[in-house]
Amino acid sequence: MDDESLMREALALAEDAARAGEVPVGAVVVREGEIVGRGWNRPIGTCDPTAHAEIVAMREAAARLGNYRLVGCELFVTLEPCAMCVGAMLHARLARVVYGAPDPKTGACGGAVALSAEAKLNHHTAFEGGLLAADCGALLKRFFAGRR
């Protein structure tokens, strides 16, 4: 699967989050072209502040692969990851993270802070933003417009 197809998979999961009343963010973890983890935002429904789409997808991938290190894996997510998620991604040793829409309020890849670029950290994951950003952002805008 190519990057765009993988982001479209994440977008479909974000739609699931929206239908569940959660902020519509979706994520997939991929290894060697195969999706090994899927997730969408679930903090409200699970009463778990760590149940962001990225964390849910990484937990599923780690369980499936039998290792908390996700070496050689890539993660595709519809919204720029927050500091919690970037920290988990670095600890998991992901090779690459691709995100859609920027998040100027809580994004940790340059939106609000640039944790992903911190040179002092012991592991460095490649972060790329903007893939299908208009589609990812439109889903978020529709969701929040419907709540107002």
Side-chain angles (χ1 to χ4, degrees), residues 54 77-82 86 99-104 106-113 116:
E54 303 96 307
V77 61
T78 58
L79 181 65
E80 179 182 352
C82 71
V86 168
Y99 63 90
D103 185 351
T106 63
C109 301
V113 296
S116 62

Side-chain angles (χ1 to χ4, degrees), residues 35-51:
I35 295 175
V36 295
R38 290 177 168 82
W40 63 85
N41 267 6
R42 298 181 183 177
I44 298 166
T46 61
C47 298
D48 179 356
T50 69

Side-chain angles (χ1 to χ4, degrees), residues 49 61-62 101 113 118 125:
V113 296
E118 180 54 56
T125 295

Side-chain angles (χ1 to χ4, degrees), residues 29 57-58 61-62 65 67-74 92-95:
V29 176
M58 286 189 291
L65 299 174
N67 194 336
Y68 74 105
R69 299 273 196 221
L70 300 175
V71 175
C73 292
E74 299 176 322
R93 305 292 196 260
L94 288 171

